[in-house]
Amino acid sequence: MIRLELQVVYTDTPELDLHLSEETLRQLPVPEQSFIEHYGFFDTVKNHWHLSHDHIRFCNHAKEKANISLVDREYLVALRDIDAGEELLQDYREIQAFEGRNLKD
């Protein structure tokens, strides 16, 4: 269980996470491009695609019931206690790359 509110649950790890320019992404085979576009995001501030090395890429969107939140565009933190095995939920509108997308609750 993650017990401490605002405990960091994820941060970028440059040695492990994948960072690709748009040009480099487009040189990959289409299935790999699709995987990165689905599980990663385009960071408009750093101008690259970001794919996390760990299971945070399986975090899901929840507009109202998010239990993690992005802080300083660097850290995902717990908003409340999170039980072991509980789904991690973030409001993807926090990520600039998702602005304007039609996200379902």
Side-chain angles (χ1 to χ4, degrees), residues 30-76:
V30 171
E32 282 78 4
Q33 290 180 41
S34 297
F35 181 88
I36 292 168
E37 290 171 340
H38 182 80
Y39 290 109
F41 67 94
F42 188 79
D43 187 324
T44 57
V45 172
K46 296 179 181 175
N47 200 35
H48 65 227
W49 282 92
H50 177 110
L51 180 65
S52 302
H53 75 282
D54 62 8
H55 296 306
I56 198 65
R57 68 180 181 265
F58 300 115
C59 171
N60 287 308
H61 170 66
K63 183 176 169 182
E64 303 294 329
K65 298 179 182 178
N67 55 17
I68 62 175
S69 183
L70 186 64
V71 175
D72 297 331
R73 295 194 44 81
E74 291 291 326
Y75 306 97
L76 285 173

Side-chain angles (χ1 to χ4, degrees), residues 1-8 77-82:
M1 169 183 279
I2 298 171
R3 291 199 167 273
L4 181 63
E5 186 172 316
L6 298 182
Q7 177 178 338
V8 174
V77 298
L79 297 174
R80 60 171 177 75
D81 289 351
I82 300 172

Side-chain angles (χ1 to χ4, degrees), residues 14 24-25 31 36 48 86:
T24 301
L25 177 72
I36 292 168
H48 65 227
E86 183 178 351

